[in-house]
Amino acid sequence: MNPNKALWEKGDFTRLAQTMRESGDELVESLNVQPGMDVLDLGCGDGTTALPSAFRGAKVLGVDIASNLVAAGEARAREAGLTNIRFQEGDASSLDEIADDSFDLVVSMFGAMFAPRPFDVAREMVRVTRRGGRVVMGNWIPGDPTLIARILETCALYTPPPPEGFVSPISWGVEDIVRERFTTAGVQDADIRCERATYTFRYPGPPVAFLDIFRSYYGPTMNAYEAAASTGREADIHRELTQLFKQENRGDADHTEIAATYLKVLIDR
């Protein structure tokens, strides 16, 4: 199986996505999604930004490599009574079933950044976006002192080295690298804007319970715990991450609210 597909079909990312709904809606509102727009949500998960776009009247396609997340998105859309949204499996590196110039807005929040072959990802995102449209990405930032970047960095300390040729997903959080990838895809440098923004996780329980969501359902963290356990270091990674979650919490002892910084990439076509 494709390793990226296996990673995101492991566990149940919907458990984590439930803590991201409010920020997803806020992002869509900031993008001024309008009725009748054609929107592609790439690496959509179960629809944290895809459904808010459809609620605003856009015609939405959600694409994700994980079949369980596609099914979860379809179920959420049915439950909401939305008929202007559909989901399908797909690889952000190769959107073979999607024609050129198909969308007014292509958005990927912490999704396409995990796909292999990042230059192909940039090319595909640009290819399927119409002239006059926009590409928007949200990418975690390497070395950033906030939650997700530190989770991924901690996990990397406990997992085996990646295979030769592996490109770190969080390289998408470096502005110069982002610019290189999109200019290679044909975008003018002046049409690329990058800014730091914040996504907030909200969980109705204490930080240690929120960490359990990552430990039990988030592929990268699950792999790290398994690797740590195999070398007798499971208590070490759990201690490090527990300290991180408690430190980052801005809620109270019984409620978790953690803000995570990301690189917001906006591209005009």
Side-chain angles (χ1 to χ4, degrees), residues 170-190:
I170 57 174
S171 62
W172 274 108
V174 179
E175 180 172 348
D176 288 347
I177 292 176
V178 169
R179 289 184 178 277
E180 179 188 13
R181 290 170 181 171
F182 280 109
T183 55
T184 300
V187 177
Q188 296 297 311
D189 187 73

Side-chain angles (χ1 to χ4, degrees), residues 50-111:
L51 263 72
S53 297
F55 278 123
R56 287 164 172 80
K59 295 174 287 182
V60 182
L61 172 63
V63 174
D64 201 281
I65 199 166
S67 59
N68 56 331
L69 297 180
V70 168
E74 290 173 335
R76 290 188 66 217
R78 282 196 302 271
E79 184 177 351
L82 292 168
T83 59
N84 55 326
I85 183 171
R86 60 189 179 91
F87 292 82
Q88 68 183 45
E89 288 185 49
D91 185 339
S93 302
S94 183
L95 300 172
D96 297 335
E97 297 181 6
I98 299 178
D100 296 358
D101 307 318
S102 293
F103 297 96
D104 303 300
L105 172 65
V106 174
V107 60
S108 184
M109 299 303 294
F110 324 117

Side-chain angles (χ1 to χ4, degrees), residues 18-253:
Q18 289 169 11
T19 73
M20 305 167 72
R21 302 297 191 212
E22 188 173 331
S23 283
D25 189 73
E26 290 168 355
L27 173 81
V28 172
E29 181 67 22
S30 75
L31 298 177
N32 194 30
V33 173
Q34 297 292 320
M37 287 178 61
D38 291 307
V39 175
L40 170 63
D41 188 343
L42 195 53
C44 62
D46 68 346
T48 298
T49 49
L51 263 72
S53 297
F55 278 123
R56 287 164 172 80
K59 295 174 287 182
V60 182
L61 172 63
V63 174
D64 201 281
I65 199 166
S67 59
N68 56 331
L69 297 180
V70 168
E74 290 173 335
R76 290 188 66 217
R78 282 196 302 271
E79 184 177 351
L82 292 168
T83 59
N84 55 326
I85 183 171
R86 60 189 179 91
F87 292 82
Q88 68 183 45
E89 288 185 49
D91 185 339
S93 302
S94 183
L95 300 172
D96 297 335
E97 297 181 6
I98 299 178
D100 296 358
D101 307 318
S102 293
F103 297 96
D104 303 300
L105 172 65
V106 174
V107 60
S108 184
M109 299 303 294
F110 324 117
M113 65 174 289
F114 287 97
R117 308 195 309 273
F119 281 90
D120 291 348
V121 171
R123 184 199 67 236
E124 288 293 81
M125 294 182 81
V126 171
R127 178 182 66 80
V128 302
T129 306
R130 294 173 181 143
R131 288 290 179 181
R134 290 176 296 164
V135 175
V136 178
M137 289 188 81
N139 304 319
W140 303 122
I141 302 170
D144 194 81
T146 50
L147 185 70
I148 301 298
R150 292 181 66 186
I151 290 174
L152 295 174
E153 288 169 358
T154 300
C155 289
L157 297 175
Y158 290 88
T159 51
E164 185 177 353
F166 173 79
V167 179
S168 172
I170 57 174
S171 62
W172 274 108
V174 179
E175 180 172 348
D176 288 347
I177 292 176
V178 169
R179 289 184 178 277
E180 179 188 13
R181 290 170 181 171
F182 280 109
T183 55
T184 300
V187 177
Q188 296 297 311
D189 187 73
D191 293 331
I192 303 170
R193 290 175 290 142
C194 295
E195 58 191 43
R196 293 171 70 89
T198 301
Y199 222 79
T200 301
F201 296 88
R202 296 177 173 90
Y203 179 73
V208 290
F210 186 40
L211 171 57
D212 284 342
I213 299 292
F214 280 84
R215 181 178 185 172
S216 301
Y217 300 110
Y218 183 61
T221 320
M222 294 171 69
N223 286 345
Y225 267 91
E226 290 169 7
S230 72
T231 57
R233 302 172 69 200
E234 186 173 10
D236 295 334
I237 187 173
H238 191 62
R239 182 172 55 253
E240 285 191 50
L241 290 177
T242 297
Q243 181 180 354
L244 172 64
F245 275 66
K246 288 181 176 179
Q247 174 186 305
E248 292 297 317
N249 184 33
R250 298 297 177 264
D252 56 35

